[in-house]
Amino acid sequence: MSAAVTLLATSAGCTSGTEQPRDSSKPAVVKSSATTPSAAAQRPYDKMPARPLGRAAVSGRDHAFLREAFAIRMPGGHKVPPADEVAVIRRLDAKNGELAWMSDGRTFCYGKIREGYSSYTCGQLPEKAPAPGLLLTVWGEHDRVTNGENNDEVRLVSFVIAEGGPARFDHVKRSKWTGPVHQAVARFPSGRMVTFLTFDRAYGPIDPEAEICRSDRKICFPSEDLPR
């Protein structure tokens, strides 16, 4: 990530299960010449937490998932949130998936739970947006434990926070072996909304044309980490 973002990852003693390798690639340069400050940086930040909308809200079926997700120590400076602040982005099964929350307008946490292994990326949003309409991009974390012999089975999962909601995001130019876009919308008491997104691709060559856009095409970004 850019130096403008301070990330607290679970590799610093906050994991459960077997440690997995991290993708060493740096955040991509988004296909936009704009360096406009984030809309969030142009007004006072929300002081209260965002709450998930619709299917993103935790329900009875998610109790086992949350127990699995929060069975580990959280990254330093962060704590387990109340269930009504957790947005479930993806449900793989009863105990696996992806979730995120924002305890205020600047602070985020993203969690990925896979078969007894939980990892978290927490921190502060950058002062300037990666591109218009985007607040944060975290590229290409491995979605499962690998021993170096099963790289063909490994997929890289990316996480994005975008301004607004509830308009849907989807692939516009989709590369081969790329998975669907998963998303969850959360709303702050001020009325401001954000969308949490995850999407995955196979480990391997990058398609520079792969792109994801919101349904109104006002926000678009590469779906793969482009080289500088």
Side-chain angles (χ1 to χ4, degrees), residues 118-152:
S118 299
S119 66
Y120 285 90
T121 300
C122 296
Q124 300 285 306
L125 297 181
E127 289 292 341
K128 291 186 177 181
L134 297 185
L135 298 176
L136 178 81
T137 54
V138 177
W139 296 104
E141 294 187 348
H142 293 81
D143 76 337
R144 55 171 292 171
V145 176
T146 175
N147 59 15
E149 298 178 356
N150 59 344
N151 283 341
D152 290 343

Side-chain angles (χ1 to χ4, degrees), residues 40-193:
Q42 297 174 349
R43 59 176 178 266
Y45 297 113
D46 294 275
K47 303 300 184 182
M48 301 294 289
R51 300 188 187 280
L53 302 179
R55 286 176 51 82
V58 169
S59 64
R61 60 180 169 169
D62 298 313
H63 289 168
F65 176 37
L66 293 192
R67 284 197 300 270
E68 191 77 16
F70 297 128
I72 66 169
R73 181 165 58 90
M74 294 297 295
H78 298 269
K79 61 183 180 180
V80 174
D84 64 354
E85 295 177 14
V86 176
V88 181
I89 306 169
R90 184 183 184 188
R91 297 172 174 91
L92 283 169
D93 56 40
K95 292 186 177 182
N96 297 283
E98 293 147 16
L99 48 79
W101 66 92
M102 292 188 71
S103 56
D104 57 51
R106 283 294 309 283
T107 308
F108 74 93
C109 276
Y110 159 59
K112 185 162 68 325
I113 296 82
R114 295 289 191 276
E115 298 177 0
Y117 175 85
S118 299
S119 66
Y120 285 90
T121 300
C122 296
Q124 300 285 306
L125 297 181
E127 289 292 341
K128 291 186 177 181
L134 297 185
L135 298 176
L136 178 81
T137 54
V138 177
W139 296 104
E141 294 187 348
H142 293 81
D143 76 337
R144 55 171 292 171
V145 176
T146 175
N147 59 15
E149 298 178 356
N150 59 344
N151 283 341
D152 290 343
E153 301 176 28
V154 173
R155 297 187 70 80
L156 302 178
V157 183
S158 296
F159 171 67
V160 167
I161 304 178
E163 280 278 19
R168 301 287 295 178
F169 285 82
D170 206 348
H171 293 281
V172 175
K173 298 176 181 177
R174 186 170 182 169
S175 59
K176 191 176 182 181
W177 311 122
T178 300
V181 179
H182 305 279
Q183 51 209 294
V185 177
R187 181 171 57 203
F188 291 95
S190 65
R192 174 186 170 220
M193 290 189 285

Side-chain angles (χ1 to χ4, degrees), residues 28-33 131-132 134 139 158 160 168-176 178-183 197-201 206-226:
V29 174
V30 180
K31 293 191 290 187
S32 171
S33 60
L134 297 185
W139 296 104
S158 296
V160 167
R168 301 287 295 178
F169 285 82
D170 206 348
H171 293 281
V172 175
K173 298 176 181 177
R174 186 170 182 169
S175 59
K176 191 176 182 181
T178 300
V181 179
H182 305 279
Q183 51 209 294
L197 304 158
T198 62
F199 42 93
D200 63 274
R201 68 175 180 86
I206 291 171
D207 180 355
E209 299 301 318
E211 189 174 39
I212 292 172
C213 290
R214 200 168 71 177
S215 57
D216 59 9
R217 298 297 192 270
K218 290 183 178 180
I219 302 177
C220 290
F221 54 90
S223 63
E224 299 182 15
D225 184 11
L226 301 178

Side-chain angles (χ1 to χ4, degrees), residues 11-29:
S11 58
C14 299
T15 58
S16 170
T18 306
E19 183 62 38
Q20 64 181 349
R22 296 290 182 183
D23 187 13
S24 61
S25 61
K26 297 181 179 179
V29 174

